Amino acid sequence: MPWRLATEFTFDSAHTIVGYDGPCGRLHGHTYRVRLELTSDRLRPSAHVKRHIMVADFKTLKWAKKDVDAGGLDHAYLNDLPELGDDTTAEVIAAYIHRHTMARVRADLPGGDDGADLKLRVTLWETPDSSCEYWE
Ligand SMILES: [Zn+2]
């Protein structure tokens, strides 16, 4: 994997881990920090440039930083997202970000490119000293 693209950003959201016997079971919020690392065997065009000079567009990777009303996760009540529901642990949110980031990256690929060489690692910090990694 000769190229590794990395980007970090934060979003602020509220959640409740329904059924958790303790403070996480009450409504509260976090400034989540996300690190995305996307590796690739080759360079590609993007939605904004037609030449083969990118792994992916940083704009595409940072979708979750946008306001929830614009399709991101900022200022969301995470339990309102149907795919998360009551299970808004860092583990489940990291997998959610992985799934939705790969879907957006794949949507930018040119026809006939399955993106099979693209591998994404998501690190999600719920607090400055507690994080979860998810990759496939
Ligand atoms: Zn929490």
Side-chain angles (χ1 to χ4, degrees), residues 74-123:
D74 191 52
H75 285 73
Y77 178 50
L78 296 171
N79 297 60
D80 282 345
L81 299 170
E83 289 173 60
L84 297 178
D86 293 344
D87 303 328
T88 53
T89 59
E91 292 88 333
V92 174
I93 298 165
Y96 177 92
I97 291 172
H98 187 284
R99 190 162 62 250
H100 284 266
T101 303
M102 284 308 294
R104 282 166 168 79
V105 167
R106 288 206 175 92
D108 280 355
L109 295 176
D113 184 346
D114 66 358
D117 60 308
L118 292 165
K119 305 288 181 211
L120 177 67
R121 178 182 298 257
V122 175
T123 309

Side-chain angles (χ1 to χ4, degrees), residues 1 5 30 34 59 115 136:
M1 296 288 182
L5 211 60
H30 298 282
V34 180
K59 268 188 191 173
E136 287 175 340

